[in-house]
Amino acid sequence: MALSGSSAGVARRLAKPIAERAFTTRLYARSLKGEAPTSLRCEPLDPAPGDPDFANALFQGRYVFGGEQKSALNEPPWNLQDASEAWHVEANSFEWLADFRATEAETARLRARELVRSWIDLNEKWQPLSWRTDVLGRRLVWWACHAGFLCDGAEPTFRRNFFGSFAAQARHLNRSAGFLIDDVWNLPAFVGRVVAEGALFGKTKRFVTDMQSLQELISQEVAPDGTLPSRNAEVALNSLRLLLAANSVIERLNIELPSTVADTIKRIALGLKCFRHGDGRFGVFNAGNESDRGYIDAILAASKARGATPSALPQGGFHRMSAGRTLLLLDVGKPEQIHPTTHAGLASFELSVGRDRVIVNCGSNGGGQWRKAGRATAAHSTLVVSDTNSIDLSDRGTKTETNLSIHSEHREEAGNALIESWHDGYVTRFGLRHGRAIYLSADGSQIRGEDSLTAVGEKGRNAQPFAIRFHLHPQVNTSIAADGVSALLRLPHGGGLQLRSSTKIALEESIYLGSSEGVRGSQQLVIHGHTEPAGQTILKWAFTVYSR
């Protein structure tokens, strides 16, 4: 009798530690060795343009991964022990090879080759993180894409070790397919198998099987609107980059691109457009970061996806309102699972005017503790009840969130837009349903908001403190007016906004973790209040946008 999906997942979870103990043995390490190629049958194309400045920082031992900077002159990043897991995941995935290649300098080639050599020396045997399936899949893809850059002109020993390690890692990835679990991002492992098999051997039976598995995975994980289960734009962009690399292998083997893959590439690309602010970078939601505009542009251009920017992502739970120079992004989505990157940002929004970000979420760069802090509801531009998260983020492993309900509606008339939403994330603990409505005028000069807390049962009639938080981008200068119920926001490129509230506004400290610059001090405007015993509390606020 076949196991159900949940039973199979439990079986894999139980088998995984047993398998990992076997992976650490010398016998297993020897089993991965075999006849190694002297070159790849085909070299896939990495659509990322690369950043020479980032490569220069790495060359000088300034390692910046996940917004966390570590310095170690003449030391490879794998030797650093005090960095976070997210930092080491990025370092071991080798996406940064594109940055070295972009310099077009021989010294960069030599330095990249030396880093690869040191990694191979340290990772002859399986390691829990560097050989984890998602990390391994990404590394195989980018090693394949940049094999020529690394190996052209290299001494025979390096070429032999490089291709021998590549083949051994590919063998392990194929063997570990049965131990993939929901705790990690599975798409890189599937793409890694396709790219490695195609690059090493061409169109084999295994390649065809791996392509079928990849199609099944993306059919399950990529929603019709192009969003992934993580609801993270940065993860979606990196997924698109991986799929484009797989696409280039398929093209170079003269195989017709499966319609499932082609359609997924288009859906992800169009969905990503919805996340972009006026500066061309992403809104900071669900552990995603701004990312680099040139990087985003290059990946989207390589996708060749044509179509209008969506005003909503129904499955992902995002709305976009744009008028004049004003753009607003609102998160009204429900996380499918609670895991270490889930953010409790229900009904949070971001606002930009032209190239200037104004209202932001805090993000999660900067290392382990900052990453944890950035997950909290208080780190988002939304309403917080009693300084409590709207989603339970307790670290008890992966679990499905079953009791959360969210509703939203997006209406437009004569160029004016209105989004109305509510969620019951606070019903169980406080008996309160949070509603949020945001209106944007046709000319983009007026943003009006209304937050409500409605009692659900007697528990909701107990007075509770709440705060409506508007986290500000670090480049926004802010001051509270003498009346105490309005604030002036001045933008770096000229112009500004005025925030008005039906009650007093406080100016408090905040942080911004949404860019590659790591931890940056900022401010937040906060409206504090207490719920009414009558059963419903309504608070209104509004922004007026002023031009230069």
Side-chain angles (χ1 to χ4, degrees):
M1 182 175 66
L3 291 173
S4 66
S6 59
S7 298
V10 171
R12 287 195 300 270
R13 194 176 299 277
L14 293 173
K16 187 169 180 282
I18 299 173
E20 289 182 346
R21 283 197 294 272
F23 294 158
T24 61
T25 63
R26 292 183 179 179
L27 180 62
Y28 184 77
R30 286 199 298 270
S31 77
L32 293 177
K33 298 184 183 299
E35 185 177 354
T38 57
S39 64
L40 297 181
R41 182 178 293 265
C42 69
E43 185 174 314
L45 177 67
D46 183 355
D51 181 354
D53 291 337
F54 188 78
N56 185 55
L58 297 180
F59 196 93
Q60 297 179 33
R62 298 197 312 273
Y63 301 118
V64 183
F65 300 115
E68 183 182 358
Q69 179 172 316
K70 299 289 181 181
S71 297
L73 188 62
N74 299 322
E75 284 283 342
W78 357 105
N79 289 353
L80 302 182
Q81 302 298 319
D82 61 341
S84 67
E85 178 181 302
W87 188 93
H88 278 292
V89 165
E90 283 199 27
N92 281 272
S93 296
F94 281 82
E95 278 96 341
W96 43 266
L97 283 174
D99 302 313
F100 278 98
R101 190 171 191 168
T103 67
E104 299 181 351
E106 187 62 24
T107 53
R109 187 200 304 267
L110 295 175
R111 178 57 178 159
R113 193 181 292 161
E114 182 57 37
L115 287 171
V116 171
R117 180 186 288 111
S118 71
W119 188 93
I120 293 172
D121 290 343
L122 190 66
N123 288 270
E124 286 187 313
K125 291 174 59 178
W126 179 90
Q127 304 285 342
L129 188 142
S130 61
W131 285 66
R132 201 175 74 187
T133 53
D134 59 322
V135 180
L136 174 54
R138 292 157 74 180
R139 183 168 57 251
L140 285 174
V141 172
W142 309 128
W143 276 24
C145 287
H146 301 288
F149 167 71
L150 291 167
C151 294
D152 287 352
E155 65 276 16
T157 301
F158 175 82
R159 293 177 62 91
R160 182 169 58 252
N161 290 341
F162 175 79
F163 289 114
S165 177
F166 186 96
Q169 292 177 64
R171 290 186 188 100
H172 173 73
L173 187 58
N174 282 321
R175 293 178 189 177
S176 61
F179 301 102
L180 297 177
I181 57 175
D182 295 334
D183 291 347
V184 298
W185 180 30
N186 281 330
L187 186 138
F190 283 77
V191 174
R193 286 160 55 187
V194 167
V195 169
E197 183 69 16
L200 285 169
F201 306 112
K203 186 182 178 181
T204 62
K205 289 182 178 180
R206 174 171 284 173
F207 179 84
V208 173
T209 300
D210 288 343
M211 276 299 306
Q212 291 172 344
S213 298
L214 176 61
Q215 292 178 76
E216 291 172 4
L217 177 78
I218 59 180
S219 296
Q220 296 168 3
E221 291 203 347
V222 182
D225 62 10
T227 53
L228 278 70
S230 66
R231 304 178 59 249
N232 177 324
E234 194 174 29
V235 169
L237 184 69
N238 291 332
S239 297
L240 181 58
R241 180 181 173 187
L242 287 164
L243 288 172
L244 289 169
N247 181 26
S248 72
V249 168
I250 294 168
E251 289 181 343
R252 295 185 177 195
L253 294 176
N254 295 316
I255 303 170
E256 183 179 355
L257 181 66
S259 59
T260 303
V261 178
D263 181 61
T264 300
I265 288 172
K266 179 179 180 180
R267 285 187 285 119
I268 293 177
L270 292 179
L272 285 171
K273 292 183 179 182
C274 186
F275 288 98
R276 302 188 79 176
H277 274 292
D279 60 6
R281 301 194 299 274
F282 293 140
V284 180
F285 296 94
N286 303 304
N289 299 297
E290 293 179 9
S291 198
D292 176 75
R293 177 172 187 164
Y295 177 68
I296 298 170
D297 286 342
I299 304 301
L300 292 182
S303 75
K304 300 179 182 178
R306 301 289 183 267
T309 299
S311 61
L313 301 175
Q315 290 77 36
F318 290 94
H319 289 281
R320 175 190 178 97
M321 294 193 290
S322 178
R325 299 174 61 245
T326 304
L327 189 150
L328 187 144
L329 304 174
L330 177 65
D331 181 358
V332 292
K334 173 182 176 180
E336 291 188 6
Q337 291 180 322
I338 306 301
H339 51 75
T341 60
T342 301
H343 279 217
L346 300 182
S348 63
F349 80 99
E350 293 200 342
L351 173 68
S352 61
V353 177
R355 292 176 292 166
D356 296 320
R357 292 176 183 239
V358 185
I359 307 300
V360 296
N361 295 313
C362 291
S364 58
N365 264 331
Q369 287 303 112
W370 289 114
R371 191 175 298 274
K372 183 177 180 180
R375 299 175 64 198
T377 301
H380 295 78
S381 292
T382 188
L383 180 145
V384 188
V385 176
S386 193
D387 201 24
T388 303
N389 291 329
S390 57
I391 299 173
D392 181 9
L393 298 179
S394 54
D395 295 326
R396 293 195 295 264
T398 301
K399 66 184 181 69
T400 302
E401 183 72 26
T402 57
N403 299 321
L404 184 65
S405 295
I406 302 175
H407 172 80
S408 66
E409 188 174 349
H410 189 157
R411 298 197 300 272
E412 296 192 20
E413 183 177 347
N416 303 301
L418 174 68
I419 299 174
E420 295 178 299
S421 68
W422 61 259
H423 71 82
D424 61 4
Y426 289 117
V427 167
T428 300
R429 281 157 290 178
F430 302 110
L432 294 169
R433 177 178 289 125
H434 174 211
R436 166 164 276 187
I438 301 180
Y439 163 89
L440 177 63
S441 64
D443 63 358
S445 66
Q446 300 293 323
I447 303 108
R448 296 199 289 270
E450 178 180 288
D451 282 289
S452 64
L453 287 168
T454 304
V456 180
E458 286 301 314
K459 187 188 293 187
R461 297 185 180 275
N462 299 325
Q464 297 291 345
F466 68 85
I468 302 173
R469 301 185 180 275
F470 303 93
H471 292 277
L472 304 173
H473 190 272
Q475 293 185 334
V476 176
N477 292 315
T478 312
S479 58
I480 303 293
D483 60 11
V485 296
S486 60
L488 181 63
L489 289 67
R490 293 173 293 277
L491 305 181
H493 291 98
L497 300 88
Q498 182 188 47
L499 170 63
R500 291 173 286 111
S501 168
S502 54
T503 188
K504 286 193 173 183
I505 303 171
L507 181 60
E508 301 177 4
E509 291 185 351
S510 182
I511 53 169
Y512 187 61
L513 312 167
S515 70
S516 60
E517 297 175 61
V519 182
R520 301 166 66 187
S522 62
Q523 295 177 308
Q524 58 178 312
L525 294 167
V526 187
I527 303 171
H528 292 281
H530 284 78
T531 56
E532 298 289 341
Q536 186 170 50
T537 304
I538 296 176
L539 197 146
K540 297 183 179 182
W541 46 268
F543 287 96
T544 299
V545 181
Y546 298 103
S547 59
R548 295 180 180 83

